Structure formats: C-alpha cells, structure tokens
C-alpha cells in the first residue's frame, strides 16, 4: 500500500494511524478529519481577531464558515479536502502571526510543509500569496535572518519528501506537481462549484472587496486582496487540475463576509443592502422549492427505489425548510432589517443538521480509505481530483 503514496502522503499516514487506533470502520476513517475541522474553528476565530482586532467580525466569520455546506460536507468524509481546509486556516494564521513575531516563520513553514504533503499545488499558490502579503504589509521580514531561517527550516520536511520521493526514488517530480498537458478546467470547475454551494453565506464577501480597495493602508485590506484576489487569479491561470486549489478561497471569503455582516449588525450601521441580495436569495428559495417538488414526483413515480418513505418525507421537509429560510431572508433584506442574519444562519444550521439524516447526504466522493483499497492492485496513487 505504501510503496507509492502518490501526491498526498500526509492524509494517508494520518488516516492509517487513525484506523490503527479506532479501527477500520467509519470512526477510524473519518474521525480525524472531523476533529481537525472542529479544532480549526477556534483558530479561525483567532485569525479573524488578529486580522480585524474585533470580536464581532471574527465570530461572524466562524458562523459563515461553520454553516457553509462545503465545509460540513468535507468535514464528514475522509478526503484530501478534509485536511486542506484546516491546514489553510493554520497557514493563514501563521502568516498573520509573522507580522508581530519573527519566530512565526517556523510555524508558517511547517504548515506549508503539511499542506505540501497533502496537496502540493495548493501549497505552492498559498506560499506565493503569503509572501506577497508579507512583503507588502511587513517588509522588514525580508531582512530578518530569524524569519528566513525559520521558514526554510519549516519547509525542509516537504522539500525532503518531494526531492527524495518524487525525484530520487521515482524520477517523477514534475508529474508529482501535476503539470498537465490537457485542460485542467473539467476538474478545476468542480472546486468552483463547491465554492458556489456555500454562496448563501459567502455572497456577502462581494461587498467587502470594494471596501478593501479603498482601505489599502490597513492590513486586513491587503490580506484580503492578496489571499483572495491574487490567489483567485493564480488559481484561474494555474495549469493544475485540482479541486483543492479552490478550497482556501472559502476561508478568505468567510473572513470577508464576516466583516460585512459585522458592519450590518452594528446599531449605527448605514449600509444600504444591494437589491441583488434580495433577488439572489429569492431565486435560491425558488430553486430549492423546485427541488422539493422534483423529489416528491420522483419518489411517487418509483424513481427513488432505494429510498424509504421516511427518507422521502424528511428530504422534502428539509428542502421546504431551507426554501422558507431563504425566502424569509429575502423578505428581511427587502425591508433593510439586520435580523436576516439570525434567520439565515440559524436556518442553515438546522437544515445542515437535519440533512445528515436524509439520503441527500449519501453522496460523498471517493474517500481516501476507498482509494487506498482500490489502488493496492494498481498504481496506489491518489487521483488529483480528490
């Protein structure tokens, strides 16, 4: 199994360790990823507090991120994205920590190493944007031997692995970086669709980036433009076919959305809600209602033979509840009422909690344990699209 660990050795090592401790059932496969994603929420709060210097944007960032369907989905399956999301939060937090402590180069290098052993293209792009941000926001780090030494020291595990495994042992370092000759968009598009799946909370980030362009002297604006704008541009033009490349944008967009929602939540807020917000949530409500109707007719016609009556009823009820949540959010937005924040995110939380008990949650991609088993007799190499 471990003769050829492919492009993502760290998740396989960690899941194998978890299986030895908790067994080879679902607990052993998925518990570690769930724990890492749960533990990353306090770190995300610290990241927001370090970035904005206030508690409210940080708390709302955690709310947006924690109720994102994409995060909930990947946190409950054993896949590469289950590890990319918490490692991204740790990497961004380390980059901010470097601004006030030169010893932060070591944790930044270590988190980048862990990310490189999970998904190398994501680590390369995030490393580039982090250096751009630190060069822009804290230029004194360029002349700090302590920061440079710590960063290089932290990167050594990834460098040693990729040079030793990818080049010396197999001579395929270029293949390991996944530079491809064909179009990467069929696979890369999946990552953007996963990002779109969390749009009910992330959509408010679009109001933050224009503000960031007007607030360039502030660190939070530079951070969002580098880790959001520059990172997104590099993802678009990169030649790598990987859904994980898009995952760090979810964290950055949650940070940006938290700032806009905090501005709305303030009692003296004068922000006028854009009309397209109302239309967006109304459209989503309509599409969700159509989904409930489609499930009803499909089940009544026997097209969902594997579903029980309880499955069909619960799935329809969850979609109706989600449609009502989105419709009420649209109504409150139309009336310029900040209470839409409570309605939207409590509704999303309840729907995501209930959807776990419906067949709608039985649609995971191939998990790492399945890939490990299925590739023992072949190349034992993880597919890039996980």
């Amino acid at each position: 199994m471990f003769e050829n660990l492919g492009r993502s050795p760290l998740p396989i090592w960690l899941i194998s360790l978890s299986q030895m401790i908790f067994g080879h059932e679902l607990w052993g496969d998925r518990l570690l990823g769930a724990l890492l994603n749960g533990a990353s929420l306090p770190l995300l709060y610290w990241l927001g507090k370090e970035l904005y210097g206030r508690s409210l944007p940080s708390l709302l960032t955690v709310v947006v991120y924690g109720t994102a369907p994409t995060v909930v989905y990947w946190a409950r399956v054993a896949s590469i994205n289950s590890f990319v999301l918490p490692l991204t939060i740790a990497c961004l937090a380390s980059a901010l920590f470097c601004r006030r402590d030169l010893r932060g180069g070591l944790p930044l290098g270590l988190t980048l190493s862990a990310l490189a052993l999970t998904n190398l293209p994501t680590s390369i792009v995030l490393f580039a944007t982090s250096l751009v941000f630190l060069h822009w926001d804290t230029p004194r780090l360029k002349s700090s031997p302590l920061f440079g030494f710590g960063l290089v020291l932290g990167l050594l595990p990834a460098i040693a692995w990729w040079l030793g495994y990818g080049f010396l042992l197999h001579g395929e370092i270029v293949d390991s970086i996944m530079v491809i000759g064909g179009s990467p968009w069929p696979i890369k598009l999946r990552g953007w669709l996963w990002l779109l799946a969390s749009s009910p909370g992330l959509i408010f980030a679009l109001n933050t980036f224009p503000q960031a362009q007007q607030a360039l002297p502030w660190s939070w604006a530079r951070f969002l433009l580098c880790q959001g704008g520059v990172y997104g541009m590099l993802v678009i033009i990169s030649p790598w076919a990987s859904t994980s490349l898009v995952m760090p944008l979810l964290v950055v967009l949650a940070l940006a959305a938290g700032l806009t929602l905090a501005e709305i939540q303030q009692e003296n807020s004068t922000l006028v809600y854009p009309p397209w917000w109302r239309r967006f949530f109304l459209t989503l409500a309509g599409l969700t209602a159509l989904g409930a109707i489609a499930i009803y007719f499909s089940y009544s016609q026997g097209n969902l033979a594997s579903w029980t009556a309880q499955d069909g009823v619960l799935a329809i009820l969850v979609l109706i509840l989600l449609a009502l949540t989105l419709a009420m959010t649209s109504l409150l937005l139309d009336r310029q009422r900040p209470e839409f924040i409570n309605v939207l995110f409590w509704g999303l939380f309840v729907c995501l909690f209930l959807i776990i008990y419906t067949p709608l949650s039985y649609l995971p991609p191939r998990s790492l344990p399945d890939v490990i088993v299925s590739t023992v007799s072949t190349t034992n190499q993880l597919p890039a699209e996980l």
Side-chain angles (χ1 to χ4, degrees):
M1 179 188 307
F2 296 100
E3 293 177 0
N4 187 356
L5 292 179
R7 305 179 181 109
S8 307
L10 184 61
I12 293 181
W13 291 336
L14 294 178
I15 290 178
S16 299
L17 177 62
S18 178
Q19 288 176 339
M20 287 190 292
I21 298 175
F22 301 104
H24 291 268
E25 303 299 328
L26 285 179
W27 281 101
D29 295 345
R30 302 183 177 186
L31 181 60
L32 183 59
L35 290 176
L36 285 175
N37 280 274
S40 67
L41 294 180
L43 184 60
L44 180 61
Y45 177 84
W46 180 90
L47 172 60
K49 191 74 177 294
E50 183 76 9
L51 187 63
Y52 298 126
R54 293 181 291 154
S55 297
L56 185 57
S58 310
L59 180 61
L60 289 172
T61 294
V62 174
V63 170
V64 172
Y65 180 83
T67 56
T70 302
V71 175
V72 175
Y73 183 87
W74 288 114
R76 59 183 295 271
V77 299
S79 187
I80 291 176
N81 290 335
S82 308
F83 297 87
V84 167
L85 286 168
L87 287 175
T88 296
I89 295 175
C91 181
L92 296 178
S94 300
L96 286 181
F97 180 70
C98 292
R99 300 180 307 161
R100 56 186 179 87
D101 195 325
L102 297 178
R103 295 172 297 179
L106 180 60
L108 178 59
L110 289 175
T111 53
L112 285 169
S113 280
L115 197 55
L117 295 177
T118 301
N119 187 263
L120 185 57
T122 304
S123 176
I124 292 174
V125 180
L126 200 58
F127 180 45
T129 54
S130 297
L131 289 183
V132 170
F133 165 69
L134 292 175
H135 172 75
W136 188 7
D137 188 69
T138 317
R140 63 184 177 87
L141 292 177
K142 294 184 299 182
S143 58
S144 171
L146 181 60
F147 171 77
F149 177 75
L151 181 62
V152 173
L153 186 64
L155 290 173
L156 281 181
I159 295 174
W161 169 263
W162 286 112
L163 287 180
Y165 169 83
F167 184 71
L168 297 179
L169 294 182
H170 295 270
E172 56 180 19
I173 188 65
V174 175
D175 293 335
S176 299
I177 301 178
M178 290 181 289
V179 176
I180 61 176
S183 172
W185 274 104
I187 294 177
K188 194 186 298 186
L189 184 60
R190 299 182 194 176
W192 293 104
L193 291 177
W194 278 115
L195 200 64
L196 186 63
S198 300
S199 58
L202 301 181
I203 200 69
F204 302 103
L206 298 181
N207 188 72
T208 306
F209 284 96
Q211 298 180 23
Q213 294 177 354
Q214 305 298 325
L216 292 181
W218 296 93
S219 292
W220 67 265
R222 298 175 178 180
F223 180 88
L224 293 181
L225 291 177
C226 289
Q227 303 292 11
V230 177
Y231 186 95
M233 180 188 66
L234 292 178
V235 169
I236 291 174
I237 66 176
S238 69
W240 297 306
S242 174
T243 60
S244 300
L245 267 175
V246 187
M247 292 300 110
L249 287 174
L250 196 152
V251 180
V252 178
L253 291 177
L255 286 164
L259 183 62
T260 292
L261 293 174
E263 183 180 348
I264 294 173
Q265 194 79 341
Q266 294 174 350
E267 295 181 357
N268 58 348
S269 175
T270 59
L271 177 64
V272 178
Y273 308 159
W276 67 268
W277 285 2
R278 172 182 57 84
R279 293 191 290 267
F280 172 77
F281 283 101
L282 189 60
T283 302
L284 284 185
L287 294 175
T288 306
L290 289 177
I293 295 172
I295 290 179
Y296 171 76
F297 283 107
S298 296
Y299 181 78
S300 62
Q301 294 175 5
N303 295 332
L304 302 174
S306 61
W307 288 26
T308 65
Q310 180 180 356
D311 291 337
V313 170
L314 189 55
I316 292 173
L317 287 178
V318 169
L319 290 178
I320 291 175
L321 177 59
L322 180 58
L324 291 175
T325 298
L326 296 171
M328 183 61 70
T329 301
S330 177
L331 178 62
L332 292 173
L333 285 169
D334 185 53
R335 298 183 177 182
Q336 301 287 312
R337 299 289 297 274
E339 289 82 2
F340 80 88
I341 298 176
N342 296 329
V343 172
L344 174 62
F345 291 105
W346 274 112
L348 288 176
F349 174 79
V350 173
C351 290
L352 289 172
F353 178 79
L354 293 177
I355 207 171
I356 296 176
Y357 302 98
T358 72
L360 298 175
S361 65
Y362 301 160
L363 303 172
R366 297 176 67 198
S367 62
L368 282 176
D370 296 334
V371 172
I372 295 172
V373 173
S374 64
T375 55
V376 168
S377 59
T378 56
T379 62
N380 293 317
Q381 192 166 20
L382 288 175
E385 63 267 19
L386 280 181

PDB file of all heavy atoms in Angstrom, residues 151-163:
ATOM      1  N   LEU A 151      11.509  29.878   8.333  1.00  0.00           N
ATOM      2  CA  LEU A 151      10.686  29.488   7.189  1.00  0.00           C
ATOM      3  C   LEU A 151      11.330  28.333   6.426  1.00  0.00           C
ATOM      4  O   LEU A 151      10.655  27.342   6.088  1.00  0.00           O
ATOM      5  CB  LEU A 151      10.491  30.688   6.271  1.00  0.00           C
ATOM      6  CG  LEU A 151       9.629  30.467   5.025  1.00  0.00           C
ATOM      7  CD1 LEU A 151       8.211  30.075   5.414  1.00  0.00           C
ATOM      8  CD2 LEU A 151       9.596  31.726   4.161  1.00  0.00           C
ATOM      9  N   VAL A 152      12.627  28.435   6.164  1.00  0.00           N
ATOM     10  CA  VAL A 152      13.326  27.370   5.430  1.00  0.00           C
ATOM     11  C   VAL A 152      13.340  26.082   6.249  1.00  0.00           C
ATOM     12  O   VAL A 152      13.140  24.978   5.719  1.00  0.00           O
ATOM     13  CB  VAL A 152      14.750  27.809   5.073  1.00  0.00           C
ATOM     14  CG1 VAL A 152      15.537  26.647   4.465  1.00  0.00           C
ATOM     15  CG2 VAL A 152      14.714  28.989   4.114  1.00  0.00           C
ATOM     16  N   LEU A 153      13.561  26.224   7.560  1.00  0.00           N
ATOM     17  CA  LEU A 153      13.573  25.045   8.425  1.00  0.00           C
ATOM     18  C   LEU A 153      12.208  24.352   8.417  1.00  0.00           C
ATOM     19  O   LEU A 153      12.133  23.113   8.378  1.00  0.00           O
ATOM     20  CB  LEU A 153      13.956  25.451   9.848  1.00  0.00           C
ATOM     21  CG  LEU A 153      14.157  24.320  10.862  1.00  0.00           C
ATOM     22  CD1 LEU A 153      15.327  23.441  10.442  1.00  0.00           C
ATOM     23  CD2 LEU A 153      14.378  24.893  12.261  1.00  0.00           C
ATOM     24  N   GLY A 154      11.153  25.131   8.443  1.00  0.00           N
ATOM     25  CA  GLY A 154       9.817  24.536   8.408  1.00  0.00           C
ATOM     26  C   GLY A 154       9.493  23.881   7.086  1.00  0.00           C
ATOM     27  O   GLY A 154       8.725  22.903   7.030  1.00  0.00           O
ATOM     28  N   LEU A 155      10.061  24.384   5.998  1.00  0.00           N
ATOM     29  CA  LEU A 155       9.804  23.824   4.671  1.00  0.00           C
ATOM     30  C   LEU A 155      10.627  22.579   4.380  1.00  0.00           C
ATOM     31  O   LEU A 155      10.345  21.875   3.398  1.00  0.00           O
ATOM     32  CB  LEU A 155      10.094  24.875   3.592  1.00  0.00           C
ATOM     33  CG  LEU A 155       9.137  26.062   3.508  1.00  0.00           C
ATOM     34  CD1 LEU A 155       9.655  27.086   2.514  1.00  0.00           C
ATOM     35  CD2 LEU A 155       7.739  25.600   3.104  1.00  0.00           C
ATOM     36  N   LEU A 156      11.624  22.286   5.201  1.00  0.00           N
ATOM     37  CA  LEU A 156      12.509  21.157   4.932  1.00  0.00           C
ATOM     38  C   LEU A 156      11.786  19.811   4.817  1.00  0.00           C
ATOM     39  O   LEU A 156      12.139  18.999   3.943  1.00  0.00           O
ATOM     40  CB  LEU A 156      13.600  21.084   6.007  1.00  0.00           C
ATOM     41  CG  LEU A 156      14.768  22.053   5.843  1.00  0.00           C
ATOM     42  CD1 LEU A 156      15.776  21.865   6.965  1.00  0.00           C
ATOM     43  CD2 LEU A 156      15.444  21.853   4.492  1.00  0.00           C
ATOM     44  N   PRO A 157      10.797  19.490   5.675  1.00  0.00           N
ATOM     45  CA  PRO A 157      10.125  18.185   5.510  1.00  0.00           C
ATOM     46  C   PRO A 157       9.500  18.004   4.132  1.00  0.00           C
ATOM     47  O   PRO A 157       9.638  16.935   3.523  1.00  0.00           O
ATOM     48  CB  PRO A 157       9.056  18.205   6.612  1.00  0.00           C
ATOM     49  CG  PRO A 157       9.591  19.133   7.644  1.00  0.00           C
ATOM     50  CD  PRO A 157      10.328  20.185   6.894  1.00  0.00           C
ATOM     51  N   ALA A 158       8.837  19.048   3.624  1.00  0.00           N
ATOM     52  CA  ALA A 158       8.220  18.934   2.296  1.00  0.00           C
ATOM     53  C   ALA A 158       9.284  18.856   1.216  1.00  0.00           C
ATOM     54  O   ALA A 158       9.166  18.059   0.269  1.00  0.00           O
ATOM     55  CB  ALA A 158       7.291  20.121   2.050  1.00  0.00           C
ATOM     56  N   ILE A 159      10.333  19.665   1.342  1.00  0.00           N
ATOM     57  CA  ILE A 159      11.398  19.639   0.333  1.00  0.00           C
ATOM     58  C   ILE A 159      12.066  18.266   0.310  1.00  0.00           C
ATOM     59  O   ILE A 159      12.323  17.688  -0.760  1.00  0.00           O
ATOM     60  CB  ILE A 159      12.425  20.745   0.626  1.00  0.00           C
ATOM     61  CG1 ILE A 159      11.776  22.136   0.483  1.00  0.00           C
ATOM     62  CG2 ILE A 159      13.630  20.624  -0.294  1.00  0.00           C
ATOM     63  CD1 ILE A 159      12.679  23.279   0.899  1.00  0.00           C
ATOM     64  N   ALA A 160      12.343  17.728   1.509  1.00  0.00           N
ATOM     65  CA  ALA A 160      12.999  16.427   1.579  1.00  0.00           C
ATOM     66  C   ALA A 160      12.113  15.339   0.977  1.00  0.00           C
ATOM     67  O   ALA A 160      12.598  14.462   0.253  1.00  0.00           O
ATOM     68  CB  ALA A 160      13.320  16.097   3.038  1.00  0.00           C
ATOM     69  N   TRP A 161      10.818  15.385   1.263  1.00  0.00           N
ATOM     70  CA  TRP A 161       9.919  14.359   0.726  1.00  0.00           C
ATOM     71  C   TRP A 161       9.847  14.434  -0.787  1.00  0.00           C
ATOM     72  O   TRP A 161       9.988  13.422  -1.474  1.00  0.00           O
ATOM     73  CB  TRP A 161       8.533  14.503   1.332  1.00  0.00           C
ATOM     74  CG  TRP A 161       7.514  13.643   0.620  1.00  0.00           C
ATOM     75  CD1 TRP A 161       6.655  14.016  -0.356  1.00  0.00           C
ATOM     76  CD2 TRP A 161       7.303  12.247   0.811  1.00  0.00           C
ATOM     77  NE1 TRP A 161       5.902  12.961  -0.787  1.00  0.00           N
ATOM     78  CE2 TRP A 161       6.278  11.848  -0.080  1.00  0.00           C
ATOM     79  CE3 TRP A 161       7.862  11.289   1.652  1.00  0.00           C
ATOM     80  CZ2 TRP A 161       5.808  10.552  -0.160  1.00  0.00           C
ATOM     81  CZ3 TRP A 161       7.401   9.979   1.577  1.00  0.00           C
ATOM     82  CH2 TRP A 161       6.391   9.629   0.688  1.00  0.00           C
ATOM     83  N   TRP A 162       9.610  15.621  -1.318  1.00  0.00           N
ATOM     84  CA  TRP A 162       9.403  15.726  -2.752  1.00  0.00           C
ATOM     85  C   TRP A 162      10.675  15.511  -3.551  1.00  0.00           C
ATOM     86  O   TRP A 162      10.645  14.970  -4.663  1.00  0.00           O
ATOM     87  CB  TRP A 162       8.770  17.067  -3.099  1.00  0.00           C
ATOM     88  CG  TRP A 162       7.331  17.109  -2.711  1.00  0.00           C
ATOM     89  CD1 TRP A 162       6.754  17.867  -1.732  1.00  0.00           C
ATOM     90  CD2 TRP A 162       6.281  16.322  -3.273  1.00  0.00           C
ATOM     91  NE1 TRP A 162       5.416  17.603  -1.648  1.00  0.00           N
ATOM     92  CE2 TRP A 162       5.095  16.654  -2.584  1.00  0.00           C
ATOM     93  CE3 TRP A 162       6.224  15.363  -4.284  1.00  0.00           C
ATOM     94  CZ2 TRP A 162       3.877  16.075  -2.885  1.00  0.00           C
ATOM     95  CZ3 TRP A 162       5.014  14.779  -4.581  1.00  0.00           C
ATOM     96  CH2 TRP A 162       3.851  15.138  -3.881  1.00  0.00           C
ATOM     97  N   LEU A 163      11.815  15.890  -2.982  1.00  0.00           N
ATOM     98  CA  LEU A 163      13.063  15.590  -3.670  1.00  0.00           C
ATOM     99  C   LEU A 163      13.403  14.113  -3.559  1.00  0.00           C
ATOM    100  O   LEU A 163      13.812  13.468  -4.534  1.00  0.00           O
ATOM    101  CB  LEU A 163      14.195  16.441  -3.100  1.00  0.00           C
ATOM    102  CG  LEU A 163      14.188  17.919  -3.475  1.00  0.00           C
ATOM    103  CD1 LEU A 163      15.375  18.630  -2.830  1.00  0.00           C
ATOM    104  CD2 LEU A 163      14.229  18.093  -4.996  1.00  0.00           C
TER     105      LEU A 163
END
